[in-house]
């Protein structure tokens, strides 16, 4: 995978599979300390203690369709490649996966199309609440589906075309502001 | 983050109309995109978004696009399944955004599946190699 946004899409699918109803995705770009931090926190059923050391092994998976699971294995490799580390914190109340990377590392993939990732997650799983926080230096962008839902009211799912369009615009604008006008929609 | 509450209120009204229309139409077409690690790595995200975009553009109100996990045929990813009421499921393999446009035009709108993109066609091709 050549974009960090694809790793995020993949890992959040784990949260959804784990029955999460809330997922918080946080990105911190700390240039001063040369850190690129991705954190994904959910309220899913968690990873059993005895398996916590197994999950980055590509030959461990809970899925039934095949015998390998690459999501966390790839994330772990990514961390190794970029002079960083993968930290998994899990209890029965949820899981927090943190990927810490060296921001300036030559092998660190670009964030890529994070708008598309978020749009798919938010609209593809309308029953899950998402919070996205992206900090770059002193600037911060926060996107919270709960705020949208409170205005839209009960019974209007986020995956209706008109709502999707609105979400896409909000995300593009927000992220573009964060990076002084760069286009995040390609 | 919300530019104007008024704007969202208008969207809410439009959304409620869309919902009402879906209810009246009953069960519609369901497009399912495989979105596990294998699918994502093979390019499922642009494929799914292309479906969403085409359906929006053509204003097809009775079609929903959803994602699923691994379908189990990783070498054929990105995989898309099309479920139409009272019809057999059609499985498309090795999808690309370009193929999506054709599938929407010929299959979703006109009801004629695109055989060259289906798993049956692909398997035949491999068997005859």
């Amino acid at each position: 995978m050549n974009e960090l946004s694809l790793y995020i899409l993949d890992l959040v699918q784990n949260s959804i599979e784990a029955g999460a109803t809330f997922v918080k995705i946080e990105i911190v770009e700390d240039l001063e300390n040369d850190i690129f931090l991705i954190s994904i926190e959910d309220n899913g059923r968690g990873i059993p203690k005895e398996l916590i050391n197994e999950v980055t092994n590509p030959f461990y998976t809970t899925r039934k369709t095949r015998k390998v699971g690459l999501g966390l294995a790839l994330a772990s490799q990514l961390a190794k490649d970029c002079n960083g580390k993968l930290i998994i914190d899990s209890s029965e109340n949820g899981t927090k996966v943190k990927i810490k990377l060296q921001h300036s590392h030559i092998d660190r993939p670009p964030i890529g199309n994070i708008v598309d990732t978020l749009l798919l997650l938010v609209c593809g799983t309308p029953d899950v609440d998402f919070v996205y926080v992206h900090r770059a230096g002193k600037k911060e962008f926060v996107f919270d589906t709960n705020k949208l839902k409170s205005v839209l009211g009960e019974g209007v799912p986020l995956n209706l075309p008109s709502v999707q369009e609105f979400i896409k615009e909000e995300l593009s604008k927000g992220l573009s502001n964060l990076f002084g006008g760069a286009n995040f929609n390609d | 983050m919300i530019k104007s509450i008024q704007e969202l209120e208008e969207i809410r009204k439009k959304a409620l109309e869309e919902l009402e229309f879906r209810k009246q139409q009953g069960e519609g077409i369901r497009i399912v995109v495989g979105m596990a690690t294998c699918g994502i790595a093979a390019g499922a995200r642009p494929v799914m978004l292309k479906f969403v975009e085409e359906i929006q553009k053509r204003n097809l109100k009775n079609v929903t696009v959803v994602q699923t996990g691994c379908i189990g045929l990783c070498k054929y990813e990105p995989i898309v399944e099309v479920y139409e009421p009272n019809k057999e499921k059609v499985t498309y393999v090795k999808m690309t955004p370009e193929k999506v446009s054709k599938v929407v035009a010929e299959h979703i709108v006109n009801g004629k599946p695109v055989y060259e993109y289906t798993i049956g066609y692909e398997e035949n091709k491999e068997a005859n190699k």
Side-chain angles (χ1 to χ4, degrees), chain A residues 3 5-6 9-10 13 63 65-66 71 74 113 116-117 119-120 124 142 144 151-153 155-156 160-162 164-166 170 173, chain B residues 1-3 5 7-9 11-12 14-16 18-19 22 35-38 40-41 44-45 48-49 52 56 67 69-72 74:
Chain A
E3 289 183 15
S5 64
L6 291 178
L9 178 59
D10 190 19
Q13 306 282 6
R63 84 171 84 230
T65 43
R66 61 184 151 94
L74 285 174
N113 198 329
D116 277 2
T117 282
L119 193 66
L120 269 192
V142 181
D144 183 348
V151 182
L152 286 169
V156 178
L160 288 170
S162 47
Q164 278 187 24
E165 220 168 306
F166 180 82
E170 281 295 313
K173 248 187 300 173
Chain B
M1 120 195 171
I2 291 160
K3 187 165 60 180
I5 296 293
E7 188 186 6
L8 207 56
E9 277 296 335
I11 286 170
R12 179 182 141 82
K14 223 165 114 190
L16 284 171
E18 278 171 32
L19 265 181
R22 270 194 200 176
M35 199 71 82
T37 314
C38 47
I40 293 170
R45 189 181 66 180
M48 181 158 176
L49 284 161
V52 170
Q56 228 163 294
Q67 53 188 323
C70 182
I71 296 174
C74 311

Short mmCIF file of all heavy atoms in Angstrom, two decimals, chain A residues 3 5-6 9-10 13 63 65-66 71 74 113 116-117 119-120 124 142 144 151-153 155-156 160-162 164-166 170 173, chain B residues 1-3 5 7-9 11-12 14-16 18-19 22 35-38 40-41 44-45 48-49 52 56 67 69-72 74:
data_model
loop_
_atom_site.label_atom_id
_atom_site.label_comp_id
_atom_site.label_asym_id
_atom_site.label_seq_id
_atom_site.Cartn_x
_atom_site.Cartn_y
_atom_site.Cartn_z
N GLU A 3 -0.12 4.51 0.31
CA GLU A 3 -0.65 5.72 0.94
C GLU A 3 -0.99 5.40 2.39
O GLU A 3 -1.54 4.34 2.68
CB GLU A 3 -1.98 6.14 0.28
CG GLU A 3 -1.85 6.70 -1.10
CD GLU A 3 -3.21 7.16 -1.62
OE1 GLU A 3 -4.15 7.29 -0.83
OE2 GLU A 3 -3.31 7.37 -2.84
N SER A 5 -3.29 6.76 3.97
CA SER A 5 -4.75 6.75 4.06
C SER A 5 -5.32 5.36 3.79
O SER A 5 -6.40 5.02 4.27
CB SER A 5 -5.35 7.77 3.09
OG SER A 5 -5.07 7.40 1.76
N LEU A 6 -4.60 4.53 3.03
CA LEU A 6 -5.07 3.16 2.78
C LEU A 6 -4.85 2.27 4.01
O LEU A 6 -5.68 1.41 4.32
CB LEU A 6 -4.38 2.56 1.56
CG LEU A 6 -4.76 3.18 0.21
CD1 LEU A 6 -3.97 2.53 -0.91
CD2 LEU A 6 -6.25 3.03 -0.08
N LEU A 9 -7.69 3.19 6.29
CA LEU A 9 -8.94 2.55 5.83
C LEU A 9 -8.96 1.09 6.26
O LEU A 9 -9.95 0.58 6.78
CB LEU A 9 -9.03 2.66 4.30
CG LEU A 9 -10.23 2.03 3.60
CD1 LEU A 9 -11.54 2.62 4.11
CD2 LEU A 9 -10.13 2.23 2.09
N ASP A 10 -7.84 0.43 6.07
CA ASP A 10 -7.74 -0.99 6.40
C ASP A 10 -7.88 -1.25 7.89
O ASP A 10 -8.64 -2.12 8.32
CB ASP A 10 -6.38 -1.50 5.89
CG ASP A 10 -6.29 -3.00 5.95
OD1 ASP A 10 -7.34 -3.65 6.03
OD2 ASP A 10 -5.17 -3.53 5.94
N GLN A 13 -11.31 -0.85 9.33
CA GLN A 13 -12.18 -2.00 9.05
C GLN A 13 -12.09 -3.01 10.19
O GLN A 13 -13.08 -3.65 10.54
CB GLN A 13 -11.79 -2.71 7.74
CG GLN A 13 -11.72 -1.82 6.53
CD GLN A 13 -13.07 -1.48 5.94
OE1 GLN A 13 -14.10 -1.82 6.51
NE2 GLN A 13 -13.07 -0.81 4.82
N ARG A 63 -10.40 -13.99 10.47
CA ARG A 63 -11.35 -14.16 9.37
C ARG A 63 -11.46 -15.63 9.00
O ARG A 63 -10.59 -16.45 9.28
CB ARG A 63 -10.91 -13.32 8.18
CG ARG A 63 -9.87 -14.02 7.33
CD ARG A 63 -9.64 -13.28 6.04
NE ARG A 63 -8.68 -12.21 6.22
CZ ARG A 63 -8.88 -10.98 5.82
NH1 ARG A 63 -10.00 -10.65 5.22
NH2 ARG A 63 -7.97 -10.06 5.99
N THR A 65 -12.35 -16.54 5.71
CA THR A 65 -12.25 -16.74 4.27
C THR A 65 -10.86 -17.19 3.82
O THR A 65 -10.71 -17.78 2.77
CB THR A 65 -12.61 -15.46 3.50
OG1 THR A 65 -11.99 -14.36 4.16
CG2 THR A 65 -14.11 -15.26 3.46
N ARG A 66 -9.83 -16.86 4.59
CA ARG A 66 -8.50 -17.35 4.24
C ARG A 66 -7.61 -17.33 5.46
O ARG A 66 -7.98 -16.81 6.50
CB ARG A 66 -7.90 -16.56 3.08
CG ARG A 66 -7.72 -15.10 3.38
CD ARG A 66 -7.22 -14.38 2.13
NE ARG A 66 -7.64 -13.01 2.12
CZ ARG A 66 -6.89 -12.01 2.58
NH1 ARG A 66 -5.71 -12.25 3.10
NH2 ARG A 66 -7.33 -10.78 2.54
N GLY A 71 -3.51 -6.85 7.69
CA GLY A 71 -3.70 -5.47 8.11
C GLY A 71 -2.65 -5.00 9.10
O GLY A 71 -1.84 -4.12 8.81
N LEU A 74 1.07 -5.47 8.03
CA LEU A 74 1.58 -4.42 7.15
C LEU A 74 1.88 -3.15 7.93
O LEU A 74 2.89 -2.48 7.69
CB LEU A 74 0.58 -4.13 6.03
CG LEU A 74 0.48 -5.16 4.90
CD1 LEU A 74 -0.64 -4.80 3.95
CD2 LEU A 74 1.80 -5.25 4.14
N ASN A 113 -4.92 10.12 -0.30
CA ASN A 113 -6.26 10.69 -0.36
C ASN A 113 -7.09 10.36 0.87
O ASN A 113 -7.91 9.45 0.88
CB ASN A 113 -6.97 10.21 -1.62
CG ASN A 113 -8.14 11.09 -1.96
OD1 ASN A 113 -8.76 11.65 -1.05
ND2 ASN A 113 -8.46 11.23 -3.22
N ASP A 116 -11.02 10.59 0.56
CA ASP A 116 -11.71 9.40 0.05
C ASP A 116 -11.86 8.34 1.13
O ASP A 116 -12.89 7.69 1.27
CB ASP A 116 -10.95 8.81 -1.14
CG ASP A 116 -11.29 9.52 -2.44
OD1 ASP A 116 -12.09 10.50 -2.37
OD2 ASP A 116 -10.78 9.12 -3.49
N THR A 117 -10.79 8.15 1.90
CA THR A 117 -10.84 7.17 2.98
C THR A 117 -11.95 7.50 3.98
O THR A 117 -12.77 6.65 4.33
CB THR A 117 -9.47 7.11 3.71
OG1 THR A 117 -8.59 6.34 2.91
CG2 THR A 117 -9.58 6.44 5.07
N LEU A 119 -14.52 9.50 3.58
CA LEU A 119 -15.83 9.48 2.93
C LEU A 119 -16.37 8.05 2.87
O LEU A 119 -17.54 7.79 3.18
CB LEU A 119 -15.69 10.05 1.52
CG LEU A 119 -16.99 10.39 0.80
CD1 LEU A 119 -17.69 11.54 1.50
CD2 LEU A 119 -16.73 10.75 -0.65
N LEU A 120 -15.50 7.11 2.52
CA LEU A 120 -15.92 5.72 2.44
C LEU A 120 -16.31 5.18 3.81
O LEU A 120 -17.30 4.47 3.96
CB LEU A 120 -14.79 4.85 1.89
CG LEU A 120 -14.76 4.64 0.40
CD1 LEU A 120 -13.78 3.54 0.07
CD2 LEU A 120 -16.13 4.26 -0.12
N GLY A 124 -19.91 4.50 4.19
CA GLY A 124 -20.02 3.06 4.04
C GLY A 124 -20.50 2.38 5.31
O GLY A 124 -21.05 1.28 5.26
N VAL A 142 -11.02 19.27 12.81
CA VAL A 142 -11.81 18.24 13.48
C VAL A 142 -13.08 17.99 12.69
O VAL A 142 -13.78 18.93 12.30
CB VAL A 142 -12.19 18.66 14.92
CG1 VAL A 142 -12.99 17.55 15.60
CG2 VAL A 142 -10.95 18.97 15.73
N ASP A 144 -16.55 15.60 12.95
CA ASP A 144 -17.27 14.77 13.90
C ASP A 144 -18.64 14.42 13.33
O ASP A 144 -19.47 15.31 13.12
CB ASP A 144 -17.40 15.55 15.21
CG ASP A 144 -18.06 14.74 16.30
OD1 ASP A 144 -18.62 13.66 15.99
OD2 ASP A 144 -18.03 15.19 17.46
N VAL A 151 -27.71 17.62 13.55
CA VAL A 151 -28.46 18.57 12.72
C VAL A 151 -29.40 17.81 11.76
O VAL A 151 -30.54 18.20 11.55
CB VAL A 151 -27.52 19.48 11.90
CG1 VAL A 151 -28.33 20.48 11.08
CG2 VAL A 151 -26.58 20.21 12.82
N LEU A 152 -28.89 16.73 11.20
CA LEU A 152 -29.70 15.98 10.23
C LEU A 152 -30.88 15.29 10.91
O LEU A 152 -31.91 15.05 10.30
CB LEU A 152 -28.84 14.94 9.51
CG LEU A 152 -27.88 15.49 8.47
CD1 LEU A 152 -26.91 14.42 8.02
CD2 LEU A 152 -28.62 16.05 7.27
N GLY A 153 -30.72 14.96 12.16
CA GLY A 153 -31.82 14.36 12.89
C GLY A 153 -31.90 12.86 12.70
O GLY A 153 -31.19 12.28 11.88
N GLY A 155 -32.98 9.22 11.66
CA GLY A 155 -33.59 8.65 10.45
C GLY A 155 -33.00 9.12 9.14
O GLY A 155 -33.37 8.63 8.11
N VAL A 156 -32.07 10.08 9.17
CA VAL A 156 -31.42 10.46 7.92
C VAL A 156 -30.00 9.88 7.93
O VAL A 156 -29.13 10.37 8.62
CB VAL A 156 -31.35 12.00 7.76
CG1 VAL A 156 -30.62 12.36 6.47
CG2 VAL A 156 -32.74 12.59 7.74
N LEU A 160 -26.75 9.03 2.16
CA LEU A 160 -27.58 9.53 1.06
C LEU A 160 -26.72 10.45 0.19
O LEU A 160 -25.91 11.21 0.70
CB LEU A 160 -28.78 10.30 1.62
CG LEU A 160 -29.84 9.40 2.25
CD1 LEU A 160 -30.87 10.24 2.97
CD2 LEU A 160 -30.52 8.53 1.21
N PRO A 161 -26.92 10.38 -1.13
CA PRO A 161 -26.07 11.15 -2.04
C PRO A 161 -25.91 12.62 -1.66
O PRO A 161 -24.79 13.14 -1.65
CB PRO A 161 -26.79 11.01 -3.38
CG PRO A 161 -27.47 9.69 -3.29
CD PRO A 161 -27.87 9.52 -1.84
N SER A 162 -26.99 13.30 -1.32
CA SER A 162 -26.86 14.73 -1.03
C SER A 162 -26.02 14.97 0.22
O SER A 162 -25.28 15.95 0.31
CB SER A 162 -28.25 15.35 -0.86
OG SER A 162 -29.03 14.55 -0.01
N GLN A 164 -23.66 12.87 1.28
CA GLN A 164 -22.28 12.50 0.92
C GLN A 164 -21.54 13.66 0.28
O GLN A 164 -20.38 13.92 0.56
CB GLN A 164 -22.29 11.33 -0.05
CG GLN A 164 -22.45 10.01 0.64
CD GLN A 164 -22.29 8.84 -0.32
OE1 GLN A 164 -21.66 8.96 -1.35
NE2 GLN A 164 -22.86 7.72 0.04
N GLU A 165 -22.26 14.32 -0.60
CA GLU A 165 -21.65 15.44 -1.30
C GLU A 165 -21.21 16.52 -0.31
O GLU A 165 -20.12 17.06 -0.40
CB GLU A 165 -22.70 16.03 -2.26
CG GLU A 165 -22.16 16.44 -3.58
CD GLU A 165 -23.32 16.73 -4.52
OE1 GLU A 165 -24.21 15.85 -4.69
OE2 GLU A 165 -23.37 17.85 -5.02
N PHE A 166 -22.09 16.79 0.64
CA PHE A 166 -21.81 17.78 1.66
C PHE A 166 -20.57 17.38 2.47
O PHE A 166 -19.68 18.19 2.71
CB PHE A 166 -23.02 17.92 2.59
CG PHE A 166 -22.83 18.92 3.69
CD1 PHE A 166 -23.02 20.27 3.47
CD2 PHE A 166 -22.44 18.49 4.96
CE1 PHE A 166 -22.83 21.19 4.49
CE2 PHE A 166 -22.25 19.41 5.98
CZ PHE A 166 -22.44 20.75 5.75
N GLU A 170 -16.98 19.32 2.95
CA GLU A 170 -16.50 19.72 4.27
C GLU A 170 -15.08 19.22 4.51
O GLU A 170 -14.21 19.96 4.99
CB GLU A 170 -17.42 19.12 5.36
CG GLU A 170 -18.70 19.86 5.57
CD GLU A 170 -18.47 21.26 6.10
OE1 GLU A 170 -17.67 21.44 7.04
OE2 GLU A 170 -19.08 22.18 5.54
N LYS A 173 -12.44 20.91 2.18
CA LYS A 173 -12.18 22.28 2.60
C LYS A 173 -11.35 22.30 3.87
O LYS A 173 -10.36 23.02 3.97
CB LYS A 173 -13.52 22.99 2.86
CG LYS A 173 -13.83 24.09 1.87
CD LYS A 173 -15.08 24.85 2.28
CE LYS A 173 -16.28 23.93 2.36
NZ LYS A 173 -17.50 24.50 2.90
N MET B 1 -17.13 23.80 12.10
CA MET B 1 -16.92 23.03 10.89
C MET B 1 -18.09 23.17 9.93
O MET B 1 -17.94 23.12 8.73
CB MET B 1 -16.66 21.57 11.28
CG MET B 1 -17.65 20.58 10.74
SD MET B 1 -17.47 19.03 11.64
CE MET B 1 -18.88 18.17 11.02
N ILE B 2 -19.28 23.35 10.50
CA ILE B 2 -20.43 23.46 9.61
C ILE B 2 -20.59 24.89 9.15
O ILE B 2 -20.72 25.81 9.96
CB ILE B 2 -21.71 22.95 10.31
CG1 ILE B 2 -21.60 21.46 10.50
CG2 ILE B 2 -22.95 23.29 9.51
CD1 ILE B 2 -22.50 20.90 11.55
N LYS B 3 -20.55 25.04 7.84
CA LYS B 3 -20.56 26.37 7.25
C LYS B 3 -21.80 27.13 7.67
O LYS B 3 -21.75 28.20 8.20
CB LYS B 3 -20.48 26.23 5.72
CG LYS B 3 -20.31 27.55 5.02
CD LYS B 3 -19.88 27.33 3.58
CE LYS B 3 -20.91 26.52 2.82
NZ LYS B 3 -20.52 26.29 1.44
N ILE B 5 -25.80 26.25 9.32
CA ILE B 5 -26.82 25.29 9.73
C ILE B 5 -27.93 25.25 8.69
O ILE B 5 -28.51 24.21 8.40
CB ILE B 5 -27.39 25.70 11.11
CG1 ILE B 5 -26.29 25.65 12.17
CG2 ILE B 5 -28.57 24.84 11.51
CD1 ILE B 5 -25.76 24.27 12.48
N GLU B 7 -27.73 25.55 5.51
CA GLU B 7 -27.38 24.71 4.37
C GLU B 7 -27.66 23.25 4.68
O GLU B 7 -28.21 22.50 3.87
CB GLU B 7 -25.89 24.90 4.03
CG GLU B 7 -25.48 24.21 2.77
CD GLU B 7 -23.96 24.30 2.53
OE1 GLU B 7 -23.26 24.80 3.42
OE2 GLU B 7 -23.52 23.86 1.47
N LEU B 8 -27.30 22.86 5.89
CA LEU B 8 -27.51 21.47 6.29
C LEU B 8 -28.99 21.15 6.45
O LEU B 8 -29.45 20.05 6.15
CB LEU B 8 -26.76 21.21 7.59
CG LEU B 8 -26.32 19.77 7.82
CD1 LEU B 8 -25.46 19.27 6.67
CD2 LEU B 8 -25.56 19.64 9.12
N GLU B 9 -29.73 22.15 6.87
CA GLU B 9 -31.18 21.97 6.99
C GLU B 9 -31.78 21.65 5.62
O GLU B 9 -32.66 20.81 5.48
CB GLU B 9 -31.84 23.25 7.55
CG GLU B 9 -31.80 23.37 9.05
CD GLU B 9 -32.61 22.28 9.75
OE1 GLU B 9 -33.55 21.74 9.13
OE2 GLU B 9 -32.27 21.95 10.90
N ILE B 11 -30.21 20.30 3.12
CA ILE B 11 -29.79 18.95 2.76
C ILE B 11 -30.68 17.93 3.46
O ILE B 11 -31.06 16.92 2.90
CB ILE B 11 -28.31 18.75 3.12
CG1 ILE B 11 -27.45 19.51 2.13
CG2 ILE B 11 -27.93 17.29 3.13
CD1 ILE B 11 -26.02 19.62 2.48
N ARG B 12 -31.02 18.23 4.69
CA ARG B 12 -31.87 17.32 5.46
C ARG B 12 -33.22 17.13 4.76
O ARG B 12 -33.73 16.02 4.64
CB ARG B 12 -32.09 17.91 6.86
CG ARG B 12 -32.97 17.10 7.76
CD ARG B 12 -33.12 17.83 9.09
NE ARG B 12 -34.49 17.71 9.57
CZ ARG B 12 -34.94 16.65 10.22
NH1 ARG B 12 -34.16 15.63 10.44
NH2 ARG B 12 -36.20 16.59 10.63
N LYS B 14 -33.87 17.52 1.57
CA LYS B 14 -33.63 16.75 0.36
C LYS B 14 -33.44 15.27 0.70
O LYS B 14 -33.95 14.38 0.02
CB LYS B 14 -32.37 17.29 -0.34
CG LYS B 14 -32.51 17.42 -1.85
CD LYS B 14 -31.38 18.27 -2.40
CE LYS B 14 -30.44 17.51 -3.28
NZ LYS B 14 -29.22 18.25 -3.64
N ALA B 15 -32.69 15.04 1.78
CA ALA B 15 -32.41 13.67 2.20
C ALA B 15 -33.69 12.93 2.57
O ALA B 15 -33.86 11.76 2.23
CB ALA B 15 -31.45 13.68 3.39
N LEU B 16 -34.58 13.62 3.25
CA LEU B 16 -35.84 12.98 3.64
C LEU B 16 -36.66 12.60 2.41
O LEU B 16 -37.29 11.54 2.37
CB LEU B 16 -36.64 13.92 4.55
CG LEU B 16 -36.12 13.99 5.99
CD1 LEU B 16 -36.82 15.09 6.77
CD2 LEU B 16 -36.28 12.65 6.71
N GLU B 18 -35.37 11.83 -0.52
CA GLU B 18 -34.69 10.67 -1.09
C GLU B 18 -35.09 9.39 -0.36
O GLU B 18 -35.36 8.36 -0.97
CB GLU B 18 -33.16 10.82 -0.95
CG GLU B 18 -32.53 11.68 -2.02
CD GLU B 18 -31.05 11.98 -1.70
OE1 GLU B 18 -30.39 11.14 -1.10
OE2 GLU B 18 -30.60 13.09 -2.04
N LEU B 19 -35.15 9.51 0.96
CA LEU B 19 -35.51 8.35 1.79
C LEU B 19 -36.92 7.86 1.47
O LEU B 19 -37.17 6.67 1.35
CB LEU B 19 -35.47 8.75 3.26
CG LEU B 19 -34.19 8.46 4.02
CD1 LEU B 19 -34.36 8.90 5.45
CD2 LEU B 19 -33.86 6.98 3.97
N ARG B 22 -37.00 5.99 -1.73
CA ARG B 22 -36.46 4.63 -1.58
C ARG B 22 -37.50 3.71 -0.97
O ARG B 22 -37.63 2.56 -1.37
CB ARG B 22 -35.23 4.65 -0.68
CG ARG B 22 -33.96 4.86 -1.44
CD ARG B 22 -32.78 4.53 -0.57
NE ARG B 22 -31.59 5.17 -1.10
CZ ARG B 22 -30.40 5.15 -0.53
NH1 ARG B 22 -30.26 4.55 0.61
NH2 ARG B 22 -29.38 5.73 -1.08
N MET B 35 -13.72 -4.91 0.66
CA MET B 35 -12.83 -3.86 1.14
C MET B 35 -11.98 -4.35 2.30
O MET B 35 -11.80 -3.67 3.30
CB MET B 35 -13.71 -2.66 1.55
CG MET B 35 -13.02 -1.33 1.65
SD MET B 35 -12.54 -0.64 0.09
CE MET B 35 -14.08 0.08 -0.38
N ALA B 36 -11.40 -5.54 2.17
CA ALA B 36 -10.42 -6.00 3.16
C ALA B 36 -9.04 -5.57 2.68
O ALA B 36 -8.93 -4.88 1.67
CB ALA B 36 -10.49 -7.51 3.31
N THR B 37 -8.01 -5.98 3.39
CA THR B 37 -6.65 -5.56 3.03
C THR B 37 -6.36 -5.84 1.56
O THR B 37 -5.83 -5.00 0.84
CB THR B 37 -5.61 -6.32 3.89
OG1 THR B 37 -6.06 -6.28 5.24
CG2 THR B 37 -4.26 -5.66 3.78
N CYS B 38 -6.74 -7.05 1.12
CA CYS B 38 -6.46 -7.43 -0.28
C CYS B 38 -7.18 -6.49 -1.25
O CYS B 38 -6.61 -6.03 -2.22
CB CYS B 38 -6.89 -8.88 -0.52
SG CYS B 38 -8.53 -9.27 0.11
N ILE B 40 -8.34 -3.40 -0.69
CA ILE B 40 -7.82 -2.03 -0.59
C ILE B 40 -6.51 -1.91 -1.36
O ILE B 40 -6.30 -0.99 -2.14
CB ILE B 40 -7.60 -1.64 0.89
CG1 ILE B 40 -8.95 -1.55 1.62
CG2 ILE B 40 -6.86 -0.31 1.00
CD1 ILE B 40 -8.83 -1.41 3.12
N ALA B 41 -5.62 -2.90 -1.14
CA ALA B 41 -4.31 -2.85 -1.79
C ALA B 41 -4.46 -2.95 -3.30
O ALA B 41 -3.67 -2.40 -4.06
CB ALA B 41 -3.43 -3.98 -1.27
N ALA B 44 -9.59 -1.03 -4.35
CA ALA B 44 -11.04 -1.04 -4.16
C ALA B 44 -11.61 0.34 -3.83
O ALA B 44 -12.75 0.63 -4.15
CB ALA B 44 -11.41 -2.02 -3.04
N ARG B 45 -10.78 1.18 -3.22
CA ARG B 45 -11.32 2.48 -2.80
C ARG B 45 -11.76 3.34 -3.98
O ARG B 45 -12.92 3.79 -4.01
CB ARG B 45 -10.29 3.21 -1.93
CG ARG B 45 -10.84 4.47 -1.28
CD ARG B 45 -9.80 5.17 -0.45
NE ARG B 45 -8.72 5.68 -1.28
CZ ARG B 45 -7.67 6.35 -0.81
NH1 ARG B 45 -7.55 6.56 0.48
NH2 ARG B 45 -6.73 6.78 -1.62
N MET B 48 -15.00 1.84 -5.46
CA MET B 48 -16.22 2.10 -4.72
C MET B 48 -16.66 3.55 -4.89
O MET B 48 -17.84 3.84 -5.09
CB MET B 48 -16.01 1.79 -3.24
CG MET B 48 -17.27 2.02 -2.44
SD MET B 48 -17.27 1.11 -0.90
CE MET B 48 -18.79 1.70 -0.18
N LEU B 49 -15.70 4.47 -4.82
CA LEU B 49 -16.07 5.88 -4.95
C LEU B 49 -16.60 6.19 -6.34
O LEU B 49 -17.47 7.03 -6.50
CB LEU B 49 -14.87 6.76 -4.61
CG LEU B 49 -14.63 6.82 -3.10
CD1 LEU B 49 -13.23 7.29 -2.78
CD2 LEU B 49 -15.66 7.73 -2.42
N VAL B 52 -20.21 5.28 -6.36
CA VAL B 52 -20.98 6.30 -5.65
C VAL B 52 -21.18 7.52 -6.54
O VAL B 52 -22.29 8.06 -6.67
CB VAL B 52 -20.25 6.69 -4.34
CG1 VAL B 52 -20.89 7.91 -3.70
CG2 VAL B 52 -20.26 5.51 -3.37
N GLN B 56 -24.66 8.92 -8.18
CA GLN B 56 -25.07 10.27 -7.85
C GLN B 56 -25.33 11.07 -9.12
O GLN B 56 -26.34 11.75 -9.26
CB GLN B 56 -23.94 10.93 -7.07
CG GLN B 56 -24.38 11.63 -5.82
CD GLN B 56 -23.18 11.88 -4.94
OE1 GLN B 56 -22.57 10.95 -4.43
NE2 GLN B 56 -22.82 13.12 -4.77
N GLN B 67 -19.95 -1.70 1.55
CA GLN B 67 -18.68 -2.42 1.53
C GLN B 67 -18.77 -3.67 2.38
O GLN B 67 -19.58 -3.77 3.29
CB GLN B 67 -17.57 -1.51 2.01
CG GLN B 67 -17.85 -0.88 3.34
CD GLN B 67 -16.81 0.17 3.66
OE1 GLN B 67 -15.64 0.00 3.37
NE2 GLN B 67 -17.23 1.25 4.30
N GLY B 69 -16.15 -7.24 3.84
CA GLY B 69 -14.76 -7.65 4.09
C GLY B 69 -14.24 -8.47 2.94
O GLY B 69 -14.60 -8.28 1.79
N CYS B 70 -13.38 -9.41 3.26
CA CYS B 70 -12.74 -10.23 2.23
C CYS B 70 -13.75 -11.21 1.67
O CYS B 70 -14.42 -11.93 2.39
CB CYS B 70 -11.58 -10.99 2.87
SG CYS B 70 -10.67 -11.98 1.71
N ILE B 71 -13.83 -11.24 0.35
CA ILE B 71 -14.77 -12.14 -0.30
C ILE B 71 -14.12 -13.52 -0.47
O ILE B 71 -14.80 -14.51 -0.66
CB ILE B 71 -15.26 -11.51 -1.63
CG1 ILE B 71 -16.03 -10.21 -1.32
CG2 ILE B 71 -16.15 -12.46 -2.43
CD1 ILE B 71 -16.46 -9.41 -2.52
N GLY B 72 -12.79 -13.57 -0.36
CA GLY B 72 -12.11 -14.86 -0.35
C GLY B 72 -11.42 -15.23 -1.66
O GLY B 72 -10.93 -16.34 -1.81
N CYS B 74 -8.81 -13.40 -3.32
CA CYS B 74 -7.94 -12.22 -3.34
C CYS B 74 -7.29 -11.94 -4.69
O CYS B 74 -7.03 -10.81 -5.04
CB CYS B 74 -6.88 -12.34 -2.27
SG CYS B 74 -7.58 -12.79 -0.67
#
